[in-house]
Amino acid sequence: MIERRGFLLVLSSPSGAGKTTIARGLLARDKELVSSVSVTTRPPRPQEIEGRDYRFISRARFDEMVAKDELLEHASVFGHSYGTPKRPIEEALASGRDVVADLDWQGTEQLARSLLQDLVSVFILPPSRQALFERLQKRGEDSPETIARRMAGSAEELSHWTEYHYVVVNRSIEKSLVQIEAVIAAERVRRQRQPGLACFVAALLRE
Ligand code: 5GP
């Protein structure tokens, strides 16, 4: 095995563009990927599981994590706070594992400044505005007011698509998965991620 450093694959999109489904698909199909579990002050939705979807924490605990510098990034989205715990990401990257995170543009912007080459960012666009609205409604997890707020917020999130390394239009989940898997495969062989290559090549030259 040639020593490799992992990367953090960030997926962003307006709510309802299919980002959560894509993240789950990537994790189910590639057992080498691990998921970043964010902390949030938002209350859980009915189907959500503590520790899988999020760690649901109090405002006081969130503020403590910020004060103790335990978060790699954090942001306020739709009136709730969200953050990425630092330790699990640092450990995964150092041990050569790739991590998938679902973050908004504010979090991605912070990570672009701190993680530099360890960040691979993908923006997922919905195929149409109508599709976005229908997916938010079909989800059946949010009130009409929340759906309206999320639709209004989608323009803000969408305007940040130019800040990402890759952009995928989610016309079908399967096509999007194949495209993002191609990104992952390519990013895994980036020279800078393989600090073990120098030794490997030196050994080749000695043989
Ligand atoms: P939701 O409440 O629908 O689960 O997520 C709302 C938004 O917060 C989504 O755009 C999601 O990507 C973003 N989000 C989830 N976790 C984090 C996080 O740890 N950091 C940041 N910056 N955004 C997050």
Side-chain angles (χ1 to χ4, degrees):
M1 280 287 279
I2 299 172
E3 189 200 335
R4 183 171 80 81
R5 186 165 166 82
F7 56 85
L8 180 65
L9 180 83
V10 164
L11 304 178
S12 295
S13 74
S15 338
K19 165 184 55 173
T20 310
T21 312
I22 290 175
R24 288 207 186 125
L26 292 172
L27 289 159
R29 286 155 60 143
D30 183 341
K31 293 300 169 200
E32 282 174 38
L33 288 174
V34 289
S35 167
S36 168
V37 181
S38 296
V39 292
T40 182
T41 60
R42 165 169 80 61
R45 297 192 184 115
Q47 307 303 320
E48 286 180 326
I49 297 172
E50 161 70 28
R52 183 196 70 175
D53 298 293
Y54 283 103
R55 279 166 51 205
F56 298 96
I57 62 172
S58 65
R59 159 66 45 198
R61 175 65 188 127
F62 191 92
D63 292 344
E64 185 188 50
M65 290 184 86
V66 173
K68 290 187 172 166
D69 198 25
E70 291 174 17
L71 299 178
L72 210 48
E73 60 73 35
H74 61 94
S76 175
V77 188
F78 303 122
H80 296 291
S81 293
Y82 297 81
T84 306
K86 193 184 266 185
R87 256 255 303 276
I89 306 283
E90 286 180 345
E91 286 173 2
L93 300 190
S95 63
R97 270 173 301 132
D98 307 312
V99 184
V100 178
D102 165 342
L103 308 182
D104 83 322
W105 68 270
Q106 304 171 82
T108 311
E109 191 179 60
Q110 292 167 52
L111 294 182
R113 285 197 298 264
S114 60
L115 289 184
L116 306 172
Q117 303 226 25
D118 287 342
L119 175 72
V120 177
S121 60
V122 180
F123 199 89
I124 298 163
L125 289 171
S128 68
R129 196 166 169 78
Q130 184 60 23
L132 197 63
F133 184 63
E134 282 168 12
R135 284 195 203 144
L136 277 179
Q137 274 193 323
K138 247 196 261 160
R139 195 153 78 174
E141 289 178 339
D142 294 310
S143 65
E145 296 76 43
T146 304
I147 291 175
R149 203 149 41 95
R150 283 174 185 260
M151 276 305 285
S154 68
E156 163 77 348
E157 185 73 24
L158 269 175
S159 70
H160 291 275
W161 67 276
T162 53
E163 294 152 27
Y164 286 70
H165 296 128
Y166 298 93
V167 180
V168 168
V169 179
N170 185 24
R171 293 200 171 83
S172 100
I173 295 289
E174 180 57 29
K175 279 194 191 129
S176 302
L177 283 173
V178 169
Q179 287 178 335
I180 300 171
E181 282 168 338
V183 166
I184 292 172
E187 291 289 341
R188 280 181 175 155
V189 290
R190 245 185 215 282
R191 177 171 46 79
Q192 303 94 306
R193 294 195 210 294
Q194 303 187 78
L197 275 181
C199 276
F200 180 73
V201 174
L204 283 182
L205 291 171
R206 277 198 304 273
E207 273 165 18

